[in-house]
Amino acid sequence: MDRTAFAATIDHTILGPETTPRDVERVVTEADEYGMNACVPPCYLDIASETAPEVTVATVIGFPHGQHAPETKRAEAVRAWEDGADELDVVINVGRLRAGEDEAVTAELAEVVAAVPLPVKVIIEAPLLSDDEKRRACGCAVDADADFVKTATGFAEGGATVADVELMSEFLPVKASGGVGSYEEAKAMLEAGAERIGASSGVTLVEEFESGE
């Protein structure tokens, strides 16, 4: 994989509660300069599109806990699409999954997928789940016709692991997110089967890749 291809796997991310408009401008500008994608809060999609219109921009739905009402997630998704998002990262309702309500989880995700003509990544919050629950969560994403599964929001304790990526990649393409802070960590995730990397340190990942060439 060359530098261009590696950079294109990265969703350069800023999603913290203290994120400012200027932070978003910086992140999408860096994404444009380094050839990455960006992932920003939904309230700043207009700024992202105006600052770097060529950058693929993802945003989050039901973030960070996934406990929004299904109709709220659907409305969020439609609004994000209208505001210029290119991709959506949707948090599942972990509580319903753990309660065995897989049909409800699938139905909620399917509503989002059907509501927008955008790629949908399903955040399963793997650090909170057993392996059986991870498989069920991925199964819900498949049944809902989602495009990706994503390891974590970064807000729960723990993040992406090689073992989780290997398990999840049996179902759908994987976005490894949460705690990926170096090129070596990103490389391990890609080798385990991830196709995208979510990281707030995207610039560091690309620069470390370049220094190792």
Side-chain angles (χ1 to χ4, degrees), residues 1 6-7 9-10 160-162 165-166 176 179-199 204-206 208-209 212-213:
M1 182 181 291
F6 174 67
T9 69
I10 300 171
T161 68
V162 165
V165 170
E166 290 174 343
V180 182
S182 70
Y183 167 64
E184 286 303 319
E185 291 170 335
K187 179 182 177 183
M189 299 302 165
L190 294 170
E191 289 176 346
E195 297 188 18
R196 295 284 277 276
I197 302 293
T204 298
L205 303 189
V206 176
E208 288 183 356
F209 179 94
E213 286 184 325

Side-chain angles (χ1 to χ4, degrees), residues 32 44 100 110 132 151 163:
D32 192 26
Y44 296 133
D132 178 64
T151 53

Side-chain angles (χ1 to χ4, degrees), residues 37-115:
N37 317 299
C39 187
V40 306
C43 63
Y44 296 133
L45 283 167
D46 57 340
I47 294 171
S49 297
E50 291 166 6
T51 303
E54 301 304 314
V55 171
T56 296
V57 176
T59 195
V60 288
I61 305 298
F63 198 82
H65 299 307
Q67 294 173 322
H68 298 53
E71 56 269 25
T72 301
K73 286 184 179 177
R74 184 186 186 283
E76 276 191 296
V78 172
R79 176 63 185 268
W81 167 42
E82 292 172 345
D83 285 349
D86 299 300
E87 300 178 351
L88 304 179
D89 292 13
V90 183
V91 188
I92 68 164
N93 189 317
V94 173
R96 290 200 181 279
L97 181 85
R98 300 198 73 177
E101 299 179 17
D102 295 25
E103 290 184 6
V105 173
T106 299
E108 178 179 276
L109 295 172
E111 280 199 35
V112 172
V113 171

